[in-house]
Amino acid sequence: MDLPILSVIIFLPLLGALFVSILPKKGVRLLKWSAMLFMLINLALSIYLFILFGGKDIMFVERVSWIESLGIDYFLGVDALNVLMILMTALLFPIALIAGWERIGLKGESAKLYMALLLGLESALVGAYAALDIFLFYIFYEAMLIPMYFIIGLFGGERRIYATTRFVIYTIIGSLLMLVAILVIFFKHYATAGVFTGDIIALSAVSFAPGVKVFLFFAFVIAFGIKSPLWPLHSWMPDAYVQSPSSGSVLIAGLMSKVGIYGFIRFAIPLFHDLGEAYAPLVMALAAVAVIYGAMIATVQKELKRMVAFFSFSHVGMILIGLFSMNTNGVEGAVLQMANHAIIVSALFIIVGIMADRRDTTEIADFGGIGSVVPKLSTLFMVTILAAVGLPGLNGFVAELLIIFGAFKSSLVFGILVASGALLGAICMLWMYERVFFGKVTKKTNSSIKDLSARELLALIPLIVLMVWIGLFPGYFLNKIGPGVERYTKDFSAYSEAVVTSDFESPPILTEETTSDNNESEIPDSGGLQ
Amino acid sequence: MEIVMPDIQLLALAPEIILIIVAFLMLFFGPLVGGPNTKGGPKVGGIVSLVALTGAFLINLYIGQDEIVTLGGMIVKDAFSLYFNALVIIAAAFSIIISFGYINRFGIKEGEFYLLILFSTVGMMLMGSSADLLSIFIALELMSIPIYVLVGFRKENLRAREASFKYFILGAISSGIFVYGAALVYGSLGTTNLTAMAEALGSNISPVFLLGSAFIISGFLFKISAVPFHMWTPDVYEGANLPITAYMSVGVKAAAFSAFLRFAVVDLANTGDSWVLAIGFVAVATMSLGNTAALAQKNLKRLLAYSSIAHVGYILVALVAGSEYGISSILFYLFIYIVVNLGIFSLLVYFSKDGKECETMDDLAGFGYAHPLMAVCMGIFLFSLAGIPPTGGFMGKLFLFIAAVKGGYVGLVIVAVIASGVSVYYYLKVMMAMFEKGKDKAQKIKNPAAAFVVVLAAIITLYLGVMPGHFMELARICAAALF
């Protein structure tokens, strides 16, 4: 058998966590570098995985029976829906580590704990993305709460305990509800097929009485809605984002919130595709509220971290609208935007974190006109903001365009709402930028703040490069995810069947069995920019 | 009247006999080996007890899982009783191990400490093997009376005396109720043997039998501290010595469950829905009360007491389902519960200073930084109690809920899930208390015995969370013995 690359990507960080926890506590540099080494190896493996990945199949499948009596398998695989996020996870961890390199400011045990928690979180996140067994997914999904709880609770701001408790309780209530739903589906499958299985693909074939089905569907919507977050389940979000240490905000907003969206894509919609279609207007309406309301709230924030948090909330709503438009453009946009949003929001939080390092404040009013003092920082911030608001040539544009197209195809109203949400977001961000960077320096203390250090540049440059790269050459990425997404949206159950027939060898080659009868006109995937 | 001596199979009873003999030897020769006022006295007793328990454990394994009926049908040794006997022996042994670092610090000099544990353990083992209401009663008393004494072992401590008194009075009343129930059952069926009862029951269930069963169940519910018979639990947990609280919270509970399950499966299964409703109601009340009352607690022992009440509620959810799968999931859950609770109490013993137990949230402050390994273990235990993967507690809850959903009790599972969600809050509060900043007490603690139990328990908890398959299979085989 080939190298079980997915298992390696999942468990290498965990091994790293164990490794750093046995290192001597005095050598903080050694701790950091060891953690970094593990993360970089993982990044290299993920890039390799991404390069090898191609097309519509589920690849790199690993399947071993795990809890035999219940038919629960250790079942992993990569397809168009998760490949980008696995890459992003592996990328953002070292970046978050570099960004918090000095800020951690911890000695001995706490530094050790911090590194171990980061590595443990990476394991759980990749695991959640790669799992194709519903129980396995659930286990990783829940397990990532543990390190995140400590990252916020131990290393966060003033109100960290309040924020982290609230975050965990919201998430747990959602996921326990999901667990009940999973159990019901699991038994219904057993009752009809006579075998236990946690295989998401097999479970998607089960049929239910209409009332039960609606309950199950909404159990998933609430669980993933809390995680994403979807309006009105978001009230844990501002505190958690703001109270996290900067690197924590990067991970929670950049990666953990995506697990919620990914849950919709991988579980809620395929398991209940007809309900997904039936209730799409409802979910899209909630997401549209998030888009508009989030952008408006972001505009009036006086504090940068909160502003970025609400801006991110607004953009997550946009991704969900794309997803629930349930057509190829929308879903493709959503999948790509998940990665884009991870990049952009991480960059925003890192920059805000850097500003907080300099001045111990993130109030907008405490800055003003610092553009001339910190040219590097203001330039990179500008690029990030332009990417965030969807300027052509940067990554935000391609995906947002696809989402807006998808939304318009599904309904005119949502198209208009998404488009205006994007506009509001742009206003909010640019206005903030103007207040912080343009004009004369308003406060004396600001005239001497330092520009970006080499370490900070090192954290930001890869993100900026990706923004430009995806913006200019989206084709490379869209070609990877396009075929898979197309099959996904063409017929959700056919997608499942196609996967079910695979022989679970690594990597399996699936025969093309769905003929193209879909006459949807497609947007050229490069958006004419290539 | 001719008295016929029943056929006695000594091998089947050998584990209990060994413990009894050793306990009596300790009683007689204890003062010779080390008098009450010599330093080594209690410790020698502890080591002797450990050796005896190990012997009992090995013989228990040697007996094997084939069913042996002895003492005129009063005692049954099968895979089910084997399982529970192993559990209570483990509970006793580890409680003794953690008491080593404790007794010196708290000035416990009496060697009786250990022989009382041994007597009580024999009672617990007989609970799991009893197949007759009378032998259950005898076992119940043999288990309980030494515990009443052990709870009040710190004689100078007012709380301990009060707790012991309270437990004794309430325990005596519950025993009385149990016997009353047994009498009613005998009156209606003419037998107290569980198997014979099941045969005699058939389809005609008299009100007298139902009333008797209700009384018997009340007796069990008292011992497992289910609502509304739970009131003694927080006070007794708080008053007792930490090792004894640990021993009670796992041993008594496991033993009471073993007899309860046998009674439930053999007899109540025939009476149909009437008791399902009652137990279901008790389960809901137990989960809700346990979890909500725990929210407000600042004292860790009280918090753990309420948490243990809540866990009984979860277990009852699976009991309602009543199937073989349900029983096996209960066996699995009880094991993981025992491991985790022993771990937590060992941690509290570990953190206890001379003469002062670690029992409030404030006492924990700073330990997270000073003793990171212990903090990690505590995290594993608390996450396991809260039912968060990848810990054994999650798998345990998953199996319990699966059993209930399988039985069609989705409503009960939803209540359990909500209760479980609430519980996360107070478990996390304990976790955070360890990382209170600014109270970094980097004091040196030397208690290798307790540390050993903590780490071992943490490893088992994680192992069962990741690889529950084999153990679940074992639980299934043991549960099958009842059916």
Side-chain angles (χ1 to χ4, degrees):
Chain A
M1 195 179 151
D2 307 330
L3 174 79
I5 186 166
L6 268 179
S7 291
V8 174
I9 297 180
I10 293 173
F11 291 107
L12 192 67
L14 199 62
L15 195 72
L18 291 178
F19 180 74
V20 294
S21 58
I22 56 167
L23 285 178
K25 38 178 145 168
K26 282 183 186 149
V28 176
R29 281 178 71 88
L30 177 68
L31 279 173
K32 286 180 186 172
W33 278 109
S34 317
M36 179 57 84
L37 183 70
F38 277 97
M39 288 176 180
L40 286 179
I41 296 176
N42 235 28
L43 176 60
L45 286 171
S46 307
I47 292 174
Y48 178 67
L49 185 90
F50 186 75
I51 292 171
L52 282 190
F53 176 79
K56 58 178 79 167
D57 307 328
I58 292 193
M59 292 175 73
F60 307 103
V61 173
E62 289 171 36
R63 188 171 199 167
V64 186
S65 179
W66 182 32
I67 305 173
E68 223 161 316
S69 59
L70 295 174
I72 299 174
D73 290 347
Y74 175 78
F75 182 17
L76 307 170
V78 177
D79 66 358
L81 307 179
N82 60 11
V83 67
L84 263 177
M85 285 318 294
I86 292 177
L87 180 65
M88 282 304 138
T89 309
L91 174 73
L92 285 184
F93 271 89
I95 288 181
L97 183 59
I98 304 177
W101 198 257
E102 305 296 330
R103 179 72 171 169
I104 303 169
L106 301 163
K107 286 174 191 133
E109 289 299 347
S110 0
K112 221 173 178 181
L113 192 60
Y114 184 80
M115 301 298 159
L117 289 171
L118 278 187
L119 287 161
L121 182 62
E122 183 172 1
S123 273
L125 266 166
V126 182
Y129 283 121
L132 291 181
D133 183 289
I134 203 160
F135 284 101
L136 190 65
F137 168 78
Y138 186 82
I139 286 167
F140 282 122
Y141 183 81
E142 287 284 274
M144 67 192 170
L145 276 182
I146 301 176
M148 202 64 223
Y149 174 76
F150 287 111
I151 290 175
I152 305 177
L154 299 178
F155 305 99
E158 290 271 299
R159 279 155 51 85
R160 59 184 187 280
I161 305 261
Y162 169 77
T164 193
T165 309
R166 203 164 145 160
F167 159 65
V168 169
I169 296 212
Y170 262 77
T171 318
I172 291 248
I173 287 176
S175 42
L176 284 173
L177 203 60
M178 175 166 78
L179 180 63
V180 176
I182 291 176
L183 289 180
V184 174
I185 299 169
F186 182 67
F187 280 105
K188 184 69 192 203
H189 177 268
Y190 176 68
T192 45
V195 283
F196 284 125
T197 180
D199 186 336
I200 153 83
I201 297 143
L203 291 178
S204 64
V206 183
S207 55
F208 296 93
V212 179
K213 200 168 183 178
V214 171
F215 161 77
L216 298 174
F217 176 67
F218 277 98
F220 278 93
V221 169
I222 290 171
F224 296 132
I226 289 174
K227 199 87 160 190
S228 334
L230 173 69
W231 187 86
L233 305 166
H234 67 287
S235 63
W236 60 270
M237 180 263 320
D239 284 318
Y241 284 19
V242 172
Q243 295 300 323
S244 296
S246 301
S247 42
S249 311
V250 167
L251 301 175
I252 198 170
L255 295 173
M256 275 182 92
S257 69
K258 302 301 172 303
V259 183
I261 304 173
Y262 173 71
F264 279 111
I265 303 182
R266 172 73 73 198
F267 297 95
I269 293 180
L271 284 173
F272 311 99
H273 39 91
D274 48 341
L275 279 188
E277 271 163 26
Y279 284 97
L282 175 68
V283 180
M284 285 166 90
L286 296 178
V289 173
V291 170
I292 306 287
Y293 164 84
M296 284 164 74
I297 299 277
T299 313
V300 297
Q301 289 304 313
K302 296 195 168 76
E303 198 263 338
L304 281 171
K305 248 185 166 180
R306 280 189 97 79
M307 181 178 173
V308 175
F310 279 105
F311 178 77
S312 152
F313 171 54
S314 165
H315 268 57
V316 164
M318 218 178 264
I319 301 178
L320 286 174
I321 290 184
L323 176 60
F324 273 86
S325 66
M326 311 268 275
N327 53 45
T328 311
N329 294 141
V331 175
E332 204 175 357
V335 171
L336 185 61
Q337 185 67 353
M338 275 166 70
N340 286 335
H341 185 264
I343 298 169
I344 293 167
V345 165
S346 304
L348 286 175
F349 273 118
I350 290 172
I351 294 175
V352 172
I354 291 171
M355 291 167 71
D357 280 352
R358 302 283 190 273
R359 288 278 280 107
D360 277 326
T361 170
T362 46
E363 294 291 326
I364 294 177
D366 287 335
F367 296 95
I370 62 168
S372 54
V373 188
V374 282
K376 287 183 213 158
L377 185 127
S378 53
T379 313
L380 294 190
F381 202 3
M382 191 68 208
V383 177
T384 310
I385 283 181
L386 291 177
V389 301
L391 185 83
L394 293 168
N395 64 346
F397 172 73
V398 191
E400 267 182 39
L401 195 67
L402 283 167
I403 289 176
I404 293 173
F405 272 122
F408 268 112
K409 257 187 207 169
S410 137
S411 117
L412 184 66
V413 180
F414 288 119
I416 293 171
L417 283 173
V418 177
S420 46
L423 189 70
L424 274 174
I427 292 172
C428 136
M429 276 293 167
L430 293 172
W431 187 44
M432 176 274 288
Y433 191 82
E434 190 236 309
R435 281 183 288 167
V436 173
F437 290 95
F438 288 161
K440 285 184 179 161
V441 178
T442 50
K443 295 214 164 152
K444 235 182 172 182
T445 39
N446 287 334
S447 57
S448 60
I449 48 179
K450 271 189 283 176
D451 206 352
L452 294 178
S453 68
R455 172 184 63 83
E456 288 156 348
L457 278 173
L458 196 62
L460 285 170
I461 293 291
L463 296 175
I464 302 288
V465 167
L466 270 175
M467 287 176 206
V468 178
W469 186 17
I470 301 178
L472 292 180
F473 307 103
Y476 177 69
F477 295 88
L478 288 175
N479 287 340
K480 292 249 182 208
I481 59 173
V485 168
E486 199 179 319
R487 169 139 88 196
Y488 176 81
T489 48
K490 206 174 278 175
D491 183 347
F492 298 95
S493 44
Y495 175 78
S496 313
E497 276 164 31
V499 177
V500 143
T501 53
S502 75
D503 55 357
F504 299 119
E505 287 298 318
S506 174
I509 307 299
L510 299 179
T511 52
E512 190 160 345
E513 44 187 290
T514 42
T515 50
S516 177
D517 54 357
N518 190 336
N519 294 327
E520 277 184 300
S521 60
E522 284 175 30
I523 312 295
D525 56 10
S526 60
L529 287 164
Q530 206 163 12
Chain B
M1 187 175 137
E2 191 187 353
I3 295 173
V4 182
M5 273 301 284
D7 172 38
I8 299 176
Q9 303 216 24
L10 276 181
L11 175 67
L13 288 170
E16 286 89 345
I17 293 173
I18 287 186
L19 294 185
I20 289 276
I21 290 176
V22 171
F24 273 113
L25 287 177
M26 279 164 67
L27 189 60
F28 296 139
F29 297 107
L32 299 180
V33 187
N37 295 320
T38 56
K39 211 180 167 188
K43 220 167 214 177
V44 172
I47 290 166
V48 172
S49 314
L50 274 184
V51 173
L53 285 168
T54 314
F57 187 82
L58 293 177
I59 297 174
N60 193 43
L61 292 184
Y62 176 73
I63 294 171
Q65 47 171 296
D66 295 334
E67 189 179 275
I68 304 173
V69 183
T70 182
L71 280 179
M74 284 203 161
I75 297 292
V76 175
K77 289 279 180 179
D78 52 11
F80 181 79
S81 57
L82 186 97
Y83 183 87
F84 274 99
N85 287 355
L87 282 197
V88 296
I89 291 174
I90 290 171
F94 283 100
S95 305
I96 289 174
I97 293 176
I98 59 173
S99 73
F100 283 151
Y102 181 94
I103 47 175
N104 291 338
R105 291 185 197 183
F106 288 82
I108 292 175
K109 296 191 178 102
E110 295 83 350
E112 291 82 8
F113 189 77
Y114 293 110
L115 69 91
L116 286 170
I117 291 183
L118 285 191
F119 276 124
S120 173
T121 307
V122 174
M124 290 175 183
M125 290 168 74
L126 290 176
M127 288 280 277
S129 332
S130 293
D132 190 295
L133 291 177
L134 288 182
S135 53
I136 292 178
F137 176 69
I138 293 168
L140 193 72
E141 291 301 291
L142 183 55
M143 165 179 90
S144 304
I145 292 168
I147 297 219
Y148 301 144
V149 182
L150 284 169
V151 169
F153 215 77
R154 286 189 294 175
K155 289 186 288 293
E156 74 293 350
N157 185 319
L158 192 66
R159 263 192 337 188
R161 268 155 47 197
E162 187 189 318
S164 172
F165 188 63
K166 199 174 209 171
Y167 191 31
F168 171 64
I169 296 289
L170 291 173
I173 292 173
S174 88
S175 298
I177 291 175
F178 181 90
V179 181
Y180 192 27
L184 289 176
V185 167
Y186 183 74
S188 100
L189 299 178
T191 176
T192 52
N193 186 288
L194 295 184
T195 325
M197 277 164 65
E199 281 164 14
L201 258 177
S203 57
N204 57 341
I205 294 148
S206 66
V208 179
F209 173 78
L210 281 183
L211 189 65
S213 297
F215 280 2
I216 290 173
I217 292 174
S218 304
F220 287 131
L221 291 182
F222 176 86
K223 286 293 170 197
I224 59 174
S225 54
V227 173
F229 305 100
H230 65 286
M231 282 87 84
W232 57 273
T233 319
D235 294 337
V236 174
Y237 274 38
E238 194 187 353
N241 293 314
L242 272 171
I244 294 305
T245 316
Y247 179 54
M248 281 181 66
S249 75
V250 297
V252 173
K253 210 151 268 187
F257 260 111
S258 65
F260 188 16
L261 292 181
R262 201 182 278 277
F263 178 74
V265 170
V266 172
D267 291 290
L268 291 180
N270 294 315
T271 56
D273 293 339
S274 49
W275 75 285
V276 164
L277 188 69
I279 300 285
F281 181 75
V282 171
V284 170
T286 308
M287 290 184 291
S288 323
L289 187 133
N291 279 317
T292 41
L295 288 175
Q297 301 304 321
K298 290 220 157 47
N299 183 301
L300 285 168
K301 281 161 116 184
R302 291 186 80 84
L303 186 143
L304 288 169
Y306 281 112
S307 127
S308 84
I309 293 174
H311 284 270
V312 167
Y314 305 139
I315 295 176
L316 290 178
V317 168
L319 182 64
V320 171
S323 58
E324 194 178 318
Y325 188 84
I327 302 293
S328 62
S329 66
I330 291 176
L331 298 197
F332 183 90
Y333 196 81
L334 275 171
F335 181 72
I336 188 69
Y337 174 81
I338 283 177
V339 169
V340 168
N341 267 35
L342 277 174
I344 289 192
F345 282 108
S346 311
L347 245 162
L348 297 185
V349 168
Y350 182 83
F351 287 146
S352 292
K353 283 174 261 171
D354 289 343
K356 185 176 183 317
E357 290 192 334
C358 171
E359 58 176 332
T360 63
M361 299 271 192
D362 287 342
D363 292 341
L364 282 178
F367 279 124
Y369 297 106
H371 303 274
L373 178 65
M374 291 294 127
V376 169
C377 293
M378 184 67 147
I380 293 172
F381 299 142
L382 291 170
F383 282 112
S384 179
L385 287 177
I388 297 173
T391 59
F394 167 73
M395 284 297 171
K397 264 189 198 161
L398 182 67
F399 294 144
L400 290 183
F401 294 169
I402 282 179
V405 175
K406 213 172 171 182
Y409 300 98
V410 180
L412 267 181
V413 174
I414 291 177
V415 177
V417 157
I418 293 169
S420 204
V422 172
S423 77
V424 174
Y425 178 76
Y426 59 84
Y427 291 129
L428 292 186
K429 223 167 62 176
V430 177
M431 198 62 235
M432 270 303 154
M434 299 188 77
F435 289 99
E436 279 291 319
K437 279 181 185 167
K439 291 182 184 172
D440 200 341
K441 302 173 194 162
Q443 59 170 3
K444 287 256 186 290
I445 295 179
K446 271 192 186 159
N447 193 343
F452 164 73
V453 179
V454 171
V455 174
L456 184 69
I459 291 172
I460 297 176
T461 309
L462 275 186
Y463 177 78
L464 288 180
V466 180
M467 287 287 166
H470 297 297
F471 198 83
M472 192 56 194
E473 181 60 20
L474 176 71
R476 196 192 59 73
I477 292 170
C478 295
L482 280 190
F483 289 84

